Amino acid sequence: MAPAGDRRTGFSRRRQYGIFIGYVLAVAGAVVGAVLLVVSSFNPPLFAGIRMGVASVTAPISGGLATVTEAAASVPEAINGWLFAHAENAAMRRELAAARPLLQRARVIAYDNRRLRALLAVRDRTPDPVVTARLVSSSASSGRRFALLDAGRFSGVLPGMPVRGPEGLVGRVLETGPAAARVLLLSDPESIVPVRRSRDGLPAIAIGRGDGAVDIRSVNATDVRFAAGDVFVTSGIGGLYAPGIPVARVAAAGTDSVLGRTFAQPDTFDFALVERVFMPLPAAPTPAAAAPTDPAP
């Protein structure tokens, strides 16, 4: 048997038919090309019609092949984009996790700065402030309401001195140590503050309830109507608290005794201002009445 490399072309009929068909297609293509060349030279309109007819048949096929090619080419790009987006999202999550503590710290600093600016404005209006100190803690789970101030006798803090925040009155100093002081809050049941209504000067007293709020009670009058939103400030009666310090706002309308919400919430700010005890000026003496003179005889 002869080796495969020595076989002739005509050994296989299939190969013979293939070669023959190839020759036929080549001759047919040459003839068609020659005919189209002659037609395009002698009858251009006819050639244009034939060209557009062939284009109409081949255009959908070409469009479909182009769509398939573009879809196949976009697969690697989509995979690459997904991998890049996944890696970018992971990097952004890491950056966010690293920046979150810094953001929280910046918010705390901004909050403290706003409070300190407000307290500084109050201090500028106070004629003789004692010290600005930090409220390091306050009781909120018991019936008694106290706060601890990180300033004491060394800073000039003495029992009875009023303590106020940016929004209003906090309470008064109850006990002092060398570097700390205990503050009796407005909401403590032992706290009683003379107040007046800001819109008409109606006298009242604010008494602590032990639950973070105060009772506003009328003084020397009955059937007194309180409207929701009425603002009460210190009256200055009896000394201790200077007049005009915001104390509480009425929560709901009522008669004679209503619930009030204090403006200053010790658990929402850090710094407070200690003021000197208010000493009202004594009333000016009235001029003595002229002594009666004896009538002339």
Side-chain angles (χ1 to χ4, degrees):
M1 183 174 180
D6 297 337
R7 293 181 179 178
R8 294 173 298 168
T9 305
F11 180 79
S12 173
R13 288 186 178 276
R14 182 178 298 175
R15 295 186 63 183
Q16 290 178 356
Y17 291 150
I19 293 173
F20 176 73
I21 292 172
Y23 288 151
V24 171
L25 292 177
V27 173
V31 171
V32 172
V35 172
L36 292 177
L37 180 62
V38 172
V39 172
S40 65
S41 300
F42 294 97
N43 194 352
L46 179 60
F47 178 74
I50 295 173
R51 181 173 55 191
M52 294 308 299
V54 174
S56 299
V57 174
T58 59
I61 300 175
S62 300
L65 293 176
T67 302
V68 173
T69 303
E70 291 177 358
S74 64
V75 171
E77 184 178 358
I79 295 175
N80 186 25
W82 183 85
L83 294 176
F84 177 76
H86 183 72
E88 187 177 5
N89 289 338
M92 292 179 64
R93 284 195 295 269
R94 289 193 297 269
E95 292 178 0
L96 181 61
R100 187 174 290 111
L102 298 178
L103 178 61
Q104 294 294 337
R105 184 178 178 184
R107 287 177 177 174
V108 172
I109 293 175
Y111 176 78
D112 288 344
N113 287 339
R114 290 195 302 269
R115 308 291 297 194
L116 286 174
R117 284 195 296 269
L119 193 62
L120 182 61
V122 174
R123 182 184 179 94
D124 291 340
R125 295 193 302 267
T126 302
D128 191 14
V130 177
V131 67
T132 300
R134 184 186 294 271
L135 286 173
V136 295
S137 65
S138 62
S139 60
S141 59
S142 64
R144 302 304 304 273
R145 299 299 171 117
F146 300 100
L148 187 64
L149 198 70
D150 66 346
R153 289 193 299 269
F154 290 164
S155 301
V157 180
L158 299 175
M161 286 184 172
V163 180
R164 64 177 300 179
E167 291 85 3
L169 188 65
V170 175
R172 60 182 173 86
V173 177
L174 188 64
E175 301 173 351
T176 59
R182 196 180 188 195
V183 179
L184 181 73
L185 302 179
L186 290 178
S187 57
D188 187 86
E190 298 296 328
S191 173
I192 300 176
V193 180
V195 295
R196 60 177 175 85
R197 191 158 55 186
S198 59
R199 61 185 174 90
D200 58 2
L202 175 73
I205 55 174
I207 303 175
R209 293 166 51 95
D211 58 357
V214 295
D215 283 329
I216 306 295
R217 300 179 184 177
S218 61
V219 177
N220 299 329
T222 58
D223 296 331
V224 176
R225 294 291 301 173
F226 295 99
D230 282 348
V231 175
F232 284 84
V233 298
T234 53
S235 63
I237 297 176
L240 189 60
Y241 303 107
I245 304 175
V247 176
R249 186 191 303 272
V250 175
T255 305
D256 293 340
S257 181
V258 291
L259 176 68
R261 300 294 182 185
T262 59
F263 287 103
Q265 299 293 330
D267 54 348
T268 61
F269 60 89
D270 295 331
F271 295 93
L273 178 67
V274 181
E275 299 179 345
R276 299 191 183 278
V277 174
F278 174 68
M279 299 295 293
L281 296 176
T286 57
T293 58
D294 295 333

